Amino acid sequence: MIKELTARQLTDNPEKVIRKIFGEQISGTDIVDGIFIDAGFTRVMGVSGLMMKVPATLEILKNPDVSRFLGEQAGEHGSVLVCLDGKELKLYLHRGVTSEEGMPEKIKTSIKAALSGLDGWAGKLNEDGEHEIDLFMPSPGPHFNVNLLMGNRIGYSRALQTTPKSVVDKMGGGSFRSHAATQVLASRWDMRQEENGFPANRQFYLFEDNKKVLYSGEIKRDNLASAKCTHAQNYTSISYNTKCGLGIKRLIFIPAYEDGMPLATEVQRIEICNEGTAPRKLRFVYTGMFGSAAPDALFEDVLYSNIIMQSRILRDENGSITALSPDYYAEKGRMDLRFHTMLVHNRGQMKLAREFCVNYNEFVGNGTLQDPEGAIRLSNNLYRKGPGFFAVAADIELEPGERCFADQFTGLVSDRTNPLSGEETLKQELGRLLEKFSQPDSVYQELEGNKKFMDSYSGFLRVNSRDEAFNAYVNKNLPFQVLYQTFVSRSFCQTQKGYREIGFREIQDIFASMYYFTGMGMEHFTKQLIKEWCSMIFEFGFAYHNFFWEGKEPGKWSDDQLWFIQAVYRYIALTGDMGLLEEKCTIAGTAPSRDRSVYDTIKAVIRYSAKISIGKHGLPLLDYADWNDCLKLDDDCINGIAKEKLYMQQLEKGGRFGQPLESNYSESVMNAFLLKAAVDDMIKLAGKKGDKAYRDELEEISSDLDRNIQKHAWKGDFFARVLFNRYTEGEYSYLGARGDGLSADPSIDGSYFLNSFSWSILAGCARESQIEAMLEVVESRLKSPFGIKLVTPVELGRIAKNTATGEYFPGDRENGGVFKHAGMMAAAAMFKAAKEVSSLQLAERLSRLAYWIVDATLPYKTLENPYVSCGNPRFCTQYNNSETGENTGPMLSGTSTWMTLALMSALGIEYSEKGLIINPILRPEETVFSYVINMPKASYNVIIKKPVGFCRLYEGNACITFDGKALDNSILPAMYDNRQHIVAIHF
């Protein structure tokens, strides 16, 4: 009989079985690790007495002698347990009864060596928030040991889409993109979970006397004494020390763009030092794989992808290799010209490579990438077809104590920023690149420029708490992730290898990065970015859902354009630059193209979302789905262009412009909240602009919207998520909240969506009694040990096809997973409400839960239990499984953006049309906290002191001073005197 067993059906795990079998040999508090010996799932092999949960069993079994010994002890019917008892090791064997057995000293020594320093296996964060990693140690997961790198094209055309970006793992692997989704170094196209980059990328070999001394992509102890990686903000360094006396350092980063240079260039400096006593003659070989010019073809015709290209070499007058560059026949393939070049600085001379290989199969031969047969002597053959593999080689001689540099430059020349770009442009820009880096110290000078930019960018906010890990994260790593995400679509970096474009919703990243740009005096750049998003909005008021050079899926997702208004308001509140409203932007979808002002664009968005694209309850339509709940509930929904055509037909039949579109489509309550927030922001800006007529119109819209939300969306214990109009027999009238009839959990009467709670507060719609009622539900139904779940179990399959519950197992992503982006929105909402509700008790509950969510999300917390929580200790991932706590991808997410906004709310930093408001909500146990806000013309040193317990300004029991003088409120004077001003809040 064949029996089926899935991962989620298996209730026992090795630890449970170990505790059952060896319960008398271990305590209930012992940390245990183990594996099943076979697929019977009854016999185990494990280790107890660990300092933390690590894959200790698999690690000791990597030693062949230990694996053989323990296997022989277990035999065909037994289980074995190695117990760490202080400095002693004990071995227990279970075959019906448990007995203690002896171990040879050699086996003990090997096990102790394998398990030494296990508390540092996952690495550590230093005082600057850099991740220091021992390469010999096992990785907790695909995201954990990864860094993000980006270039700098601020001030140049289309920076949003042309800023280069890379992902680098602890071995230097990963991939590299230039503009939009264009791969310079190829990503992977296989099912390895969330691994990025073709394995040959950025790797190199060292040979001596035709024997391999080192391969950078593997870590073996036979010739390596140590191997370490440090992931810093915007660069990665890797070092090796060999037992044969070589010291090797790698430095990987993307230099800032300069006029006349290639659009995107990634640098890897490889420094080799002879630390021995004898001269060395080394052979250096470097490899990579260029990205395809036709990535879509990889889905269906790999042969085509290879045949449309041939190899190409560029040489100088001496026959040395200026660059290797794949040559595509199709004209569109020649718009982006990839290249790789190597400069070797050895014994006071600079030289180029003189050997190359462009055939992967020829390079590997009958060997492997770790031990290629063709690396001893490269073939120097040019081939008529791909793929875009490349290898270059050089000979290096080093006297004792001497060092050399093998500098690698991989990049791309494109007509995206230079319409006259072509073959000659490639040669010209390569020439400038080689000239710039012809001096050995030029790479380090370039890196220093990158560091200075990052220090300036992240300087907007500097926190000083008693938690040094928190300080390093907020001051260093958090701002960098926000910066990176400002330019990158969510499809890059340890996630799907697809070419998802920049989503309109990702304008949310500007909500946070604008503070840092403004702090360094670059508010004009934020304006440039906002205008680029504005040009993706149609005349009718809907937006492209995603875009690179051209937009796609117009008006299909109904929330897109509403995020734009928040960006505009936040920018003007921060900078006071009302001139943004008069800036002209292209109207999407117009041919020939026409312009209109940002102000008129916002009017069109509000008219569309508040008056036209609304349902029978007066709330905005859901359309294909609104913000990330995967609520695709109307199978027959239409996009914005089709909706506009229907509306025009409705007008031709006697309708009046401004009346709702006639339909039975569902309405989004979250969109109603987003619209309410947008309208209320515009009431302030219209008033400031002096447009009384429009302000009055907006106030009426806001009032009607609030009334409809309260009347139709509040269901007694929660705001609904969606209102239905298509069920004529009343089968379902709403989704979300008590009594919706759609719960998949028999113990819960209704389904509950976190965003209804969060955005009702952020939009100012929720009354205090409603907040208290919803908080009860959030704490009892949505709180998991690992964060706040997005939704309780829900049967969306009853009302629609292809919904989130049909895509994911329970506990994953939108089917009850911890969606941390939404969790940070909830934390921001709780901090806001904690400052505003009249009940001190309710305010404290909100504050404590908000900080709990923050703590569950702070990425460096993964180091407390790294091999269980996984994730990345420097960057926020998007999800946690709500049952296991594992961090899952993507690694790029709005979590970091809303973490920034939530923490700013907690610290009390709020820019409004009235000015800078300081209104903090500290942790109850915190008594002192300070931070500095740096603006171009002044800085504010905010010092907060309070007793233990919950405190807020609402009760009026705080003294606020500005440069020693008392303030009547918490609105700070705007200063432009280039001085630091002291703000003291004393509860």
Side-chain angles (χ1 to χ4, degrees):
M1 173 184 275
I2 297 176
K3 297 182 179 179
E4 175 185 308
L5 182 65
T6 67
R8 287 169 173 78
Q9 291 171 336
L10 182 62
T11 55
D12 278 340
N13 59 44
E15 181 180 340
K16 284 184 180 180
V17 178
I18 288 171
R19 291 187 181 279
K20 181 179 179 181
I21 293 176
F22 298 102
E24 295 184 4
Q25 284 71 45
I26 56 178
S27 71
T29 58
D30 259 353
I31 297 177
V32 177
D33 173 72
I35 64 169
F36 288 117
I37 289 178
D38 55 37
F41 300 125
T42 58
R43 299 192 304 127
V44 288
M45 188 177 290
V47 180
S48 68
L50 299 169
M51 299 173 60
M52 63 191 305
K53 185 72 173 176
V54 296
T57 311
L58 290 176
E59 196 63 19
I60 66 173
L61 292 176
K62 291 177 181 178
N63 183 298
D65 294 333
V66 173
S67 180
R68 185 183 307 111
F69 173 77
L70 294 180
E72 290 172 351
Q73 291 293 307
E76 294 185 3
H77 305 290
S79 294
V80 292
L81 176 68
V82 176
C83 287
L84 299 175
D85 186 5
K87 294 184 179 180
E88 294 300 314
L89 285 181
K90 295 180 180 180
L91 176 65
Y92 293 101
L93 171 63
H94 182 85
R95 290 180 180 168
V97 295
T98 301
S99 60
E100 184 175 350
E101 304 292 329
M103 274 192 292
E105 285 301 317
K106 179 182 177 181
I107 298 298
K108 286 185 177 181
T109 300
S110 296
I111 292 176
K112 287 179 180 179
L115 298 181
S116 63
L118 58 84
D119 58 329
W121 280 11
K124 67 175 184 178
L125 295 178
N126 63 26
E127 61 184 9
D128 291 320
E130 299 168 349
H131 190 191
E132 298 178 355
I133 306 159
D134 185 338
L135 296 186
F136 286 114
M137 297 298 102
S139 176
H143 299 94
F144 199 89
N145 293 317
V146 168
N147 198 10
L148 307 175
L149 310 178
M150 65 178 297
N152 184 348
R153 279 187 49 82
I154 294 174
Y156 292 94
S157 64
R158 307 300 290 272
L160 177 66
Q161 299 184 56
T162 60
T163 296
K165 47 270 177 186
S166 292
V167 51
V168 180
D169 64 25
K170 68 176 183 177
M171 306 292 286
S175 67
F176 171 37
R177 282 186 179 178
S178 56
H179 55 284
T182 304
Q183 295 281 4
V184 183
L185 284 173
S187 63
R188 295 284 294 260
W189 290 88
D190 57 27
M191 288 288 285
R192 286 287 297 274
Q193 183 186 2
E194 299 167 352
E195 180 180 295
N196 186 293
F198 189 81
N201 287 349
R202 304 193 189 100
Q203 304 304 333
F204 63 93
Y205 308 78
L206 288 175
F207 296 92
E208 189 170 33
D209 295 329
N210 290 339
K211 294 181 180 179
K212 187 178 72 174
V213 175
L214 173 78
Y215 174 53
S216 61
E218 68 177 350
I219 299 298
K220 289 188 176 180
R221 296 181 185 270
D222 51 0
N223 190 38
L224 275 179
S226 66
K228 299 183 184 299
C229 170
T230 300
H231 287 319
Q233 293 84 28
N234 215 15
Y235 67 96
T236 286
S237 58
I238 305 171
S239 64
Y240 314 84
N241 288 97
T242 68
K243 294 175 182 178
C244 68
L246 292 176
I248 299 136
K249 296 179 181 178
R250 306 168 66 185
L251 176 64
I252 306 170
F253 69 99
I254 304 174
Y257 177 78
E258 293 179 12
D259 283 320
M261 291 291 180
L263 170 64
T265 305
E266 183 181 83
V267 176
Q268 179 169 191
R269 159 152 286 187
I270 300 163
E271 176 185 329
I272 306 168
C273 179
N274 182 359
E275 297 176 345
T277 58
R280 308 293 293 266
K281 290 185 177 181
L282 302 171
R283 175 173 173 77
F284 177 91
V285 181
Y286 188 89
T287 64
M289 177 73 81
F290 290 119
S292 172
D296 292 345
L298 297 176
F299 289 107
E300 55 189 61
D301 193 347
V302 175
L303 186 62
Y304 166 85
S305 303
N306 284 269
I307 289 175
I308 62 171
M309 66 163 287
Q310 64 178 338
S311 53
R312 168 174 52 182
I313 182 173
L314 284 73
R315 298 177 296 165
D316 66 9
E317 63 276 8
N318 300 315
S320 297
I321 302 168
T322 302
L324 295 174
S325 177
D327 178 48
Y328 284 88
Y329 181 75
E331 184 177 352
K332 63 181 179 180
R334 299 195 299 273
M335 295 176 180
D336 299 319
L337 304 177
R338 296 162 180 81
F339 67 85
H340 178 81
T341 189
M342 175 169 71
L343 288 178
V344 177
H345 299 276
N346 187 202
R347 296 195 164 179
Q349 293 184 329
M350 184 197 78
K351 59 183 179 180
L352 296 164
R354 292 186 65 86
E355 284 184 53
F356 72 92
C357 177
V358 289
N359 186 312
Y360 180 83
N361 294 333
E362 184 181 76
F363 182 78
V364 171
N366 290 324
T368 65
L369 194 58
Q370 289 73 29
D371 292 291
E373 289 186 326
I376 298 300
R377 176 61 59 184
L378 303 187
S379 65
N380 301 303
N381 287 329
L382 291 170
Y383 282 85
R384 289 184 170 226
K385 58 180 180 291
F389 173 79
F390 63 87
V392 289
D395 294 325
I396 294 169
E397 296 185 8
L398 294 171
E399 292 295 323
E402 189 178 10
R403 69 187 64 235
C404 72
F405 305 110
D407 292 339
Q408 312 298 323
F409 303 92
T410 309
L412 179 142
V413 172
S414 177
D415 69 351
R416 283 295 184 184
T417 54
N418 180 4
L420 302 178
S421 178
E423 307 299 329
E424 288 304 312
T425 308
L426 173 62
K427 298 172 186 176
Q428 294 165 4
E429 295 186 359
L430 268 174
R432 296 186 192 108
L433 180 74
L434 295 175
E435 176 64 26
K436 176 177 178 177
F437 289 101
S438 61
Q439 297 303 312
D441 60 352
S442 56
V443 169
Y444 295 129
Q445 292 172 358
E446 194 68 26
L447 178 64
E448 286 305 308
N450 279 18
K451 290 180 179 179
K452 287 179 181 178
F453 175 84
M454 279 310 307
D455 286 342
S456 177
Y457 170 83
S458 61
F460 164 72
L461 177 64
R462 292 282 193 238
V463 301
N464 180 24
S465 72
R466 294 176 180 175
D467 184 346
E468 292 300 330
F470 179 80
N471 298 342
Y473 174 65
V474 175
N475 296 340
K476 297 280 189 175
N477 289 324
L478 180 58
F480 177 69
Q481 184 172 3
V482 170
L483 174 68
Y484 190 92
Q485 290 181 179
T486 300
F487 300 96
V488 183
S489 88
R490 296 287 187 262
S491 68
F492 192 52
C493 185
Q494 301 304 92
T495 179
Q496 72 236 34
K497 311 307 185 296
Y499 290 78
R500 174 179 163 181
E501 302 185 354
I502 292 176
F504 199 99
R505 296 162 172 169
E506 288 160 20
I507 195 173
Q508 291 174 69
D509 293 322
I510 293 178
F511 293 3
S513 62
M514 69 171 64
Y515 295 104
Y516 297 100
F517 286 132
T518 300
M520 64 190 303
M522 299 186 68
E523 61 273 12
H524 61 282
F525 181 64
T526 301
K527 181 190 290 189
Q528 177 184 327
L529 294 176
I530 291 174
K531 288 174 62 180
E532 190 161 350
W533 253 278
C534 187
S535 68
M536 296 295 160
I537 300 177
F538 282 70
E539 189 167 21
F540 203 49
F542 54 83
Y544 280 122
H545 181 59
N546 53 65
F547 60 91
F548 273 145
W549 308 108
E550 297 176 352
K552 291 184 178 179
E553 300 179 300
K556 201 171 179 180
W557 279 262
S558 55
D559 61 299
D560 287 329
Q561 60 276 0
L562 293 171
W563 298 104
F564 173 74
I565 300 174
Q566 283 196 51
V568 171
Y569 174 77
R570 288 172 183 271
Y571 170 81
I572 294 175
L574 173 62
T575 65
D577 181 11
M578 288 287 289
L580 172 62
L581 296 177
E582 307 309 321
E583 293 279 348
K584 298 289 186 180
C585 300
T586 301
I587 303 172
T590 56
S593 64
R594 291 182 283 113
D595 295 340
R596 67 178 166 193
S597 68
V598 171
Y599 192 57
D600 286 339
T601 300
I602 290 173
K603 284 185 172 182
V605 168
I606 291 177
R607 181 180 63 240
Y608 174 79
S609 300
K611 295 187 175 182
I612 296 173
S613 183
I614 63 174
K616 292 180 168 35
H617 302 89
L619 306 186
L621 297 181
L622 174 66
D623 293 338
Y624 191 67
D626 62 18
W627 190 81
N628 223 314
D629 281 310
C630 289
L631 293 177
K632 304 168 185 175
L633 303 183
D634 287 335
D635 293 330
D636 60 344
C637 68
I638 56 177
N639 68 19
I641 291 176
K643 194 184 296 183
E644 183 175 0
K645 289 180 179 178
L646 278 181
Y647 193 71
M648 293 302 113
Q649 293 172 8
Q650 181 176 311
L651 295 183
E652 290 172 2
K653 296 177 182 178
R656 179 175 54 82
F657 193 84
Q659 289 178 328
L661 175 71
E662 295 174 0
S663 79
N664 289 319
Y665 291 131
S666 304
E667 295 162 82
S668 164
V669 179
M670 179 167 178
N671 274 357
F673 294 138
L674 290 176
L675 176 61
K676 180 70 163 54
V679 169
D680 289 349
D681 285 345
M682 285 309 299
I683 288 172
K684 301 166 191 172
L685 294 184
K688 192 171 183 178
K689 185 175 168 38
D691 189 348
K692 183 178 183 304
Y694 190 51
R695 186 194 64 189
D696 292 345
E697 180 184 344
L698 291 171
E699 287 179 342
E700 184 177 349
I701 292 173
S702 178
S703 178
D704 290 344
L705 193 56
D706 184 72
R707 183 171 55 253
N708 288 333
I709 289 171
Q710 292 296 333
K711 180 179 179 181
H712 302 296
W714 178 249
K715 301 300 179 181
D717 66 341
F718 223 75
F719 281 103
R721 191 62 181 74
V722 175
L723 304 181
F724 296 118
N725 294 308
R726 67 175 183 263
Y727 294 104
T728 56
E729 302 299 322
E731 301 96 312
Y732 301 104
S733 59
Y734 64 93
L735 167 69
R738 184 172 57 206
D740 65 4
L742 291 165
S743 174
D745 184 341
S747 68
I748 305 176
D749 179 18
S751 59
Y752 295 91
F753 291 79
L754 179 62
N755 285 330
S756 293
F757 167 80
S758 307
W759 280 96
S760 66
I761 296 172
L762 291 171
C765 295
R767 305 337 187 215
E768 185 165 336
S769 61
Q770 293 171 332
I771 293 173
E772 188 164 19
M774 289 189 291
L775 186 60
E776 293 285 347
V777 175
V778 169
E779 291 182 323
S780 64
R781 300 300 190 189
L782 292 173
K783 187 178 180 182
S784 82
F786 313 109
I788 301 295
K789 292 186 285 188
L790 185 66
V791 60
T792 60
V794 56
E795 289 282 6
L796 293 181
R798 297 180 191 173
I799 52 177
K801 302 174 184 177
N802 303 317
T803 62
T805 52
E807 296 288 340
Y808 302 111
F809 288 105
D812 282 334
R813 296 199 171 189
E814 278 82 4
N815 192 10
V818 175
F819 184 16
K820 290 182 283 189
H821 187 162
M824 285 297 94
M825 289 175 173
M830 291 174 194
F831 285 129
K832 178 179 185 294
K835 301 173 189 180
E836 298 172 349
V837 297
S838 61
S839 167
L840 185 63
Q841 182 182 18
L842 176 58
E844 183 173 353
R845 280 180 65 195
L846 288 161
S847 171
R848 287 185 181 276
L849 183 55
Y851 273 116
W852 180 86
I853 297 172
V854 169
D855 288 339
T857 308
L858 288 167
Y860 60 84
K861 298 284 188 179
T862 60
L863 286 171
E864 296 173 0
N865 200 4
Y867 291 90
V868 174
S869 58
C870 304
N872 184 291
R874 296 176 58 235
F875 303 121
C876 298
T877 53
Q878 182 79 307
Y879 303 94
N880 282 79
N881 180 282
S882 60
E883 297 175 359
T884 67
E886 180 188 358
N887 286 265
T888 56
M891 193 162 132
L892 298 181
S893 75
T895 307
S896 59
T897 294
W898 280 90
M899 171 76 81
T900 302
L901 299 176
L903 290 176
M904 287 179 65
S905 180
L907 298 178
I909 305 170
E910 179 186 351
Y911 283 89
S912 75
E913 74 284 357
K914 299 175 183 177
L916 174 56
I917 302 171
I918 302 295
N919 185 6
I921 295 281
L922 298 188
R923 297 174 186 268
E925 64 273 15
E926 224 153 17
T927 57
V928 179
F929 197 104
S930 65
Y931 57 87
V932 177
I933 302 172
N934 290 304
M935 296 296 281
K937 297 295 184 181
S939 63
Y940 302 86
N941 186 358
V942 180
I943 303 166
I944 307 164
K945 296 182 179 180
K946 58 180 273 299
V948 173
F950 180 73
C951 296
R952 59 177 183 165
L953 295 184
Y954 186 96
E955 278 69 37
N957 58 354
C959 173
I960 306 174
T961 61
F962 184 85
D963 289 339
K965 297 180 181 179
L967 291 180
D968 294 333
N969 54 47
S970 59
I971 302 175
L972 303 187
M975 306 302 292
Y976 305 96
D977 55 5
N978 296 309
R979 293 176 51 215
Q980 185 176 94
H981 299 272
I982 306 299
V983 181
I985 302 178
H986 190 188
F987 287 93

